[in-house]
């Protein structure tokens, strides 16, 4: 019996040591591209892209499984930066379909339950128990986590309204004449 | 005075004779005035009146909010009938916050605070009065004037340039104002000089306005610090940087401001408004507007209350011949397309033009053959054809590298392009796109910062809770240990007591 115990313990120790060494020497470096992309993403872990957070999204972008236009809070600027990084062409036309949105608290429905601001990844909602909550527009990314958490359906996402400040001329159309 | 003309530029036909011969007339007071709370660059004013409230002419109805903003005043006496959205005089046609005033017809002034000795005021008091009057750059850029009068705090100002260039075709409002109000303008210029603590002022007038030059020259003769300078008519002379280059021979650095050179530029209309505000205490509630274009029956210059709908001006000018092909606010080179005739005249409305299809002369575009006429026309020295080519394929960064940020949007390139390529339209689009992207980029960075701050806080709270739990556990363990050490004696006591009671 003692022989069995000693031999198995020894085997376990040797194999374990061998595995530990193998893990150290044959370590697979994490894809550095993933880290770089992760650093470019907003990092709010909002989940609007359909991935559980920014790191899984970065992996998907690096492997080519997801398009560079997947991040709504990052917008066109991010999509373009990612496209440049990966050397791919980004189809920015798709990005405008969804359009950026902002959360709005409907004052007549809010009960002041504090659930929404506890889940907000960017601390964009302020409030206190049994007090009306309010969204800070500049900090909101429109991720919709607050909408899911609200028990009284008092948080809604609304498209950002165009103002004189944000409006700019569309790209002019060139109706080229046929040169015969 | 030695002039150094800027490079490039174009000579569009002036069409100024239509309205230049007409003296300034008072436009009739409309029944309702639509006064937007944003008639200036910067933050919109905040309404301080309520629906149903009676207001007097010149009463403050919108307070300036923030460092770059301007006050808005009631253009006549009457009742505030609505505060809400009204179409802006802007190509987007978007609605903006507007105070609607129903005129009572009495046109009663509120209490004004005139100043008989304005030159005894100290510089900051003059700038404050200009700010209270809600004066903005009346050449069309509508930058709050008080902010520009305080620029001396950043950098000493030696020269004040008064822009009487009026290089845009059709417009003659500054021309008429200089002819009719030269003495008042010179006083306004002297007040601005005092506010800026500058040594000299140059009133710069293009040589296509000899009457205005003569009038201003006569009015400024006795004033040693004000000099009136005649410059050749060349578009875009009225652009701040090009004017500085012409009269001072200095170029404003790319991305810099004229005040970096110790120069501030104001429009002649602004100088007149400063005179009215400081001497008479009158806020900016009216301006001179040129109503012109071949679709107007009788083009003329009008003294218009801000908030007057454009259609009322057309009606006063004999109406419109046929269907105008394009309505513009400002000149034909840099003016803004108006969405309809119900939009109001605002502080920046130097002109309201109704152009016929013949004047608009829309033509189909051809390919760029790199003739480089646009390069010769550009007053900044850019290469419009390269920038436009990049913008066309969506390479905005490339266009920026070719100097898009230094483009004035003066439209000289579009004007000369034989292929009718919408060059300046490309540049305006690209500038907007670049700004929007910069904002999105900034927001993404801020989001990241906020998200990191939150996760860091969450970790800290978790650690604190864990530490508190550990401390509680330690305290409990300690207490238990203490009790244990104290227990034997206590236990024996209680047991003896129990024994006694039971016994």
């Amino acid at each position: 019996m003692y022989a069995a115990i000693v031999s198995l313990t020894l085997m376990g120790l040797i194999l374990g040591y061998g595995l530990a060494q193998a893990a150290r020497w044959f370590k697979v470096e994490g894809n550095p591209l993933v880290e770089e992309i992760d650093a470019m993403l907003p990092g709010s872990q909002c989940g609007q892209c359909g991935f559980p957070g920014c790191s899984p999204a970065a992996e998907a972008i690096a492997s080519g499984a997801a398009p560079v236009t997947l991040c709504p809070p990052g917008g066109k600027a991010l999509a373009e930066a990612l496209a440049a990084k990966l050397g791919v062409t980004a189809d920015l036309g798709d990005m405008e379909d969804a359009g950026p949105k902002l959360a709005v608290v409907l004052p007549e429905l809010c009960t002041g339950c504090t659930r929404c601001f506890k889940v907000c990844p960017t601390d964009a909602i302020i409030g206190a128990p049994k007090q009306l909550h309010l969204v800070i527009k500049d900090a909101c990314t429109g991720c919709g986590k607050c909408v899911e958490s609200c028990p009284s359906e008092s948080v809604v996402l609304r498209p950002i309204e165009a103002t004189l400040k944000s409006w700019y001329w569309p790209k002019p159309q060139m109706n080229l004449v046929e040169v015969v | 005075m030695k002039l150094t003309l800027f490079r490039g530029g174009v000579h569009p036909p002036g069409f100024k004779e239509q309205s230049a011969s007409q003296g300034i007339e008072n436009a009739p007071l409309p029944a309702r005035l639509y006064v937007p709370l944003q008639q200036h660059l910067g933050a919109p004013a905040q309404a301080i009146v309520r629906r149903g409230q009676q207001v007097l002419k010149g009463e403050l109805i919108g307070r300036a909010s923030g460092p770059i903003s301007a006050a808005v005043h009631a253009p006549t006496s009457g009742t505030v009938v609505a505060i809400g959205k009204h179409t802006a005089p802007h190509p987007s046609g978007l609605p903006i916050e507007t105070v609607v005033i129903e005129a009572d017809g009495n046109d009663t002034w509120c209490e004004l605070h005139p100043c008989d000795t304005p030159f005894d005021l100290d510089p900051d008091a003059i700038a404050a009065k200009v700010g209270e009057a809600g004066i903005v750059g009346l050449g069309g850029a509508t930058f709050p004037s008080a902010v520009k009068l305080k620029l001396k705090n950043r950098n000493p100002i030696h020269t004040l340039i008064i822009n009487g260039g009026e290089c845009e075709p059709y417009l003659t409002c500054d021309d008429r104002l200089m002819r009719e109000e030269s003495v008042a303008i010179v006083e306004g210029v002297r007040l601005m000089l005092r506010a800026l603590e500058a040594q000299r002022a140059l009133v710069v007038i293009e040589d296509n306005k000899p009457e205005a030059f003569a009038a201003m020259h006569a009015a400024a003769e006795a004033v040693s610090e004000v000099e009136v300078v005649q410059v050749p008519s060349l578009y875009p002379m009225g652009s701040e940087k090009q004017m500085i280059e012409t009269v001072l021979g200095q170029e404003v650095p790319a991305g810099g401001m004229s005040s970096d050179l110790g120069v501030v530029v104001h429009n002649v209309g602004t100088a007149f408004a400063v005179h009215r505000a400081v001497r008479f205490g009158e806020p900016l509630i009216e301006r001179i507007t040129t109503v012109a274009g071949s679709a107007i029956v009788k083009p003329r210059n009008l003294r218009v209350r801000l908030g007057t709908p454009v259609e009322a001006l057309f009606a006063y000018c004999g109406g419109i011949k046929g269907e105008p092909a394009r309505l513009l606010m400002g000149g034909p080179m840099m003016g803004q397309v108006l969405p309809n005739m119900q939009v109001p005249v605002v502080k920046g409305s130097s002109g309201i033009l109704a152009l016929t299809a013949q004047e608009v002369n829309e033509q189909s575009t051809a390919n760029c053959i790199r003739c480089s006429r646009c390069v010769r026309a550009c007053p900044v020295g850019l290469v419009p054809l390269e920038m436009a080519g990049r913008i066309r394929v969506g390479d905005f960064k490339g266009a920026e590298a070719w100097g898009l940020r230094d483009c004035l949007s003066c439209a000289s390139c579009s004007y000369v392009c034989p292929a009718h390529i919408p060059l300046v339209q490309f540049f305006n689009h690209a500038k907007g796109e670049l700004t929007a992207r910069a904002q999105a980029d900034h927001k993404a960075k801020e989001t990241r910062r906020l998200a990191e701050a939150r996760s860091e806080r969450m970790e800290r709270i978790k650690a604190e809770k864990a530490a508190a739990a550990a401390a509680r556990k330690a305290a409990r363990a300690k207490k238990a240990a203490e009790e244990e050490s104290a227990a034997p004696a206590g236990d024996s006591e209680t047991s003896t007591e129990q024994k006694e009671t039971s016994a």
Side-chain angles (χ1 to χ4, degrees):
Chain A
M1 194 186 92
Y2 288 111
I5 290 170
V6 169
S7 64
L8 278 173
T9 311
L10 260 174
M11 265 172 73
L13 281 172
I14 290 164
L15 288 173
Y17 183 76
L19 277 174
Q21 285 304 313
R24 182 172 293 173
W25 291 109
F26 304 114
K27 186 185 172 195
V28 180
E29 289 286 336
N31 189 349
L33 192 60
V34 174
E35 279 164 38
E36 277 174 46
I37 293 173
D38 192 24
M40 289 163 81
L41 292 174
S44 58
Q45 326 292 353
C46 71
Q48 281 180 83
C49 53
F51 292 92
C54 291
S55 297
E59 275 168 36
I61 294 170
S63 66
V68 290
T69 52
L70 91 174
C71 180
K76 277 190 190 176
L78 176 67
E80 218 177 42
L82 287 173
K85 175 122 226 144
L86 299 174
V88 297
T89 48
D91 186 11
L92 297 179
D94 288 353
M95 290 209 72
E96 275 159 331
D97 294 350
K101 287 185 173 172
L102 285 184
V104 179
V105 175
L106 303 175
E108 63 273 22
L109 291 179
C110 177
T111 58
C113 72
T114 78
R115 278 186 216 184
C116 58
F117 72 71
K118 283 181 186 154
V119 296
C120 178
T122 53
D123 289 330
I125 306 179
I126 48 172
K130 294 185 182 171
Q131 303 287 319
L132 179 63
H133 301 343
L134 187 89
V135 179
I136 304 169
K137 279 187 195 166
D138 288 339
C140 175
T141 62
C143 72
K145 282 198 171 181
C146 45
V147 177
E148 287 160 28
S149 73
C150 181
S152 57
E153 293 183 5
S154 72
V155 192
V156 289
L157 286 183
R158 289 209 179 130
I160 299 173
E161 268 181 46
T163 61
L164 291 197
K165 233 176 184 173
S166 66
W167 184 89
Y168 58 92
W169 281 101
K171 193 170 175 176
Q173 294 300 312
M174 280 190 46
N175 304 316
L176 288 175
V177 285
E178 291 289 321
V179 180
V180 192
Chain B
M1 185 164 202
K2 194 179 162 286
L3 300 177
T4 47
L5 213 55
F6 57 91
R7 75 178 299 287
V10 291
H11 289 99
F15 300 111
K16 290 185 188 257
E17 60 289 342
Q18 282 188 342
S19 56
S21 55
Q22 307 280 327
I24 298 169
E25 293 171 47
N26 287 327
L29 191 64
R32 278 189 176 196
L33 290 148
Y34 298 84
V35 189
L37 289 166
Q38 171 120 49
Q39 304 185 35
H40 49 265
L41 282 183
Q46 265 165 350
I48 55 163
V49 287
R50 289 175 177 282
R51 197 164 59 129
Q53 188 176 330
Q54 299 289 321
V55 288
L56 292 173
K57 180 182 178 182
E59 197 175 314
L60 186 71
I61 55 173
R63 194 183 289 121
S65 60
I68 298 180
S69 184
V72 176
H73 301 79
T76 187
S77 58
T79 316
V80 175
V81 289
I83 301 169
K85 303 277 186 187
H86 187 78
T87 310
H90 187 265
S92 66
L94 288 168
I96 48 167
E97 262 331 275
T98 303
V99 177
V100 185
I101 296 173
E102 197 157 76
D104 59 11
N106 300 330
D107 213 21
T108 326
W109 273 105
C110 66
E111 197 193 335
L112 299 178
H113 302 282
C115 178
D116 295 330
T117 52
F119 292 98
D120 295 341
L121 291 170
D122 60 81
D124 289 334
I126 295 176
K129 273 181 178 283
V130 170
E132 281 164 26
I135 296 175
V136 301
L138 295 180
T142 67
F143 188 83
S145 300
V147 180
K148 267 166 100 175
L149 290 179
K150 288 177 199 148
L151 281 173
K152 63 169 193 295
N153 302 334
R154 250 181 93 240
N155 196 21
I157 303 296
H158 55 75
T159 306
L160 165 66
I161 292 179
I162 298 298
N163 189 341
E166 202 167 52
C167 56
E168 279 264 13
Y170 293 95
L171 304 186
T172 55
C173 57
D174 290 349
D175 182 8
R176 285 313 307 189
L177 190 69
M178 287 189 283
R179 290 194 211 182
E180 297 180 24
E181 300 283 359
S182 53
V183 177
I185 292 172
V186 171
E187 186 180 302
V189 174
R190 287 172 61 212
L191 287 167
M192 283 163 138
L193 271 179
R194 187 168 166 76
L196 286 164
E197 294 172 6
Q199 287 80 47
R200 62 163 182 170
L202 302 172
V203 181
V204 185
I205 304 169
E206 275 192 353
D207 61 8
N208 59 1
K209 294 179 266 295
E211 294 92 344
F213 176 74
M216 289 302 294
H217 196 75
E221 204 147 37
V223 188
S224 61
E225 67 268 32
V226 181
E227 194 184 337
V228 185
V229 188
Q230 200 163 33
V231 294
S233 304
L234 176 65
Y235 182 86
M237 181 61 79
S239 159
E240 182 169 300
K241 293 178 180 179
Q242 274 55 42
M243 184 167 273
I244 291 173
E245 200 176 332
T246 304
V247 295
L248 299 179
Q250 279 178 295
E251 205 175 318
V252 179
M257 300 202 311
S258 52
S259 66
D260 297 342
L261 299 177
V263 183
V264 166
V265 183
H266 281 282
N267 178 265
V268 283
T270 314
F272 180 68
V274 168
H275 157 76
R276 297 302 301 182
V278 179
R279 187 173 276 278
F280 301 104
E282 287 177 16
L284 183 67
I285 54 163
E286 60 185 18
R287 68 156 297 143
I288 316 297
T289 299
T290 303
V291 183
S294 294
I296 303 283
V297 175
K298 283 185 227 145
R300 54 184 78 183
N301 282 296
L302 299 176
R303 189 175 288 110
V304 188
R305 294 292 166 81
L306 303 175
T308 306
V310 167
E311 57 188 350
L313 300 187
F314 290 156
Y316 184 72
C317 293
I320 286 185
K321 292 181 275 189
E323 186 71 18
R326 192 172 290 170
L327 294 177
L328 287 176
M329 190 180 91
M333 299 294 278
M334 291 184 76
Q336 302 268 38
V337 175
L338 293 179
N340 59 41
M341 288 193 204
Q342 284 76 48
V343 296
V345 167
V346 288
K347 291 176 181 177
S349 309
S350 48
I352 302 290
L353 306 182
L355 304 181
T356 58
Q358 199 194 346
E359 285 174 296
V360 173
N361 194 20
E362 196 113 34
Q363 303 216 21
S364 44
T365 46
N367 275 313
C368 175
I369 56 161
R370 302 177 76 83
C371 69
S372 80
R373 274 201 217 175
C374 53
V375 183
R376 268 171 282 157
C378 181
V380 184
L382 302 175
V383 188
L385 63 100
E386 290 287 354
M387 299 199 297
R390 278 165 177 74
I391 295 162
R392 228 177 121 179
V393 296
D395 179 11
F396 297 100
K397 288 266 176 270
E400 206 176 11
W402 275 90
L404 180 67
R405 293 279 181 197
D406 292 312
C407 168
L408 306 170
S409 294
C410 72
S412 295
C413 49
S414 308
Y415 179 75
V416 297
C417 181
H420 309 291
I421 296 171
L423 293 162
V424 75
Q425 287 83 346
F426 272 122
F427 305 150
N428 286 339
H429 163 69
K431 284 180 199 172
E433 183 77 34
L434 281 171
T435 312
R437 286 188 192 187
Q439 277 164 358
D441 205 31
H442 175 75
K443 175 145 189 176
K445 282 205 181 82
E446 282 300 290
T447 303
R448 192 172 189 89
R449 190 180 62 75
L450 286 170
E452 274 166 9
R454 183 175 193 268
S455 55
E456 191 259 343
R457 193 183 70 230
M458 288 311 190
E459 289 295 317
R460 203 181 60 231
I461 290 171
K462 216 167 156 187
E464 274 167 14
K465 273 188 181 159
R472 271 202 306 276
K473 205 174 169 189
R476 256 205 315 275
K478 201 177 161 195
K479 206 176 165 191
E482 273 171 15
E483 275 174 12
E484 216 164 87
S485 60
D491 271 358
S492 56
E493 265 172 39
T494 43
S495 53
T496 44
E497 270 168 32
Q498 273 171 353
K499 274 173 196 164
E500 274 167 22
T501 44
S502 57

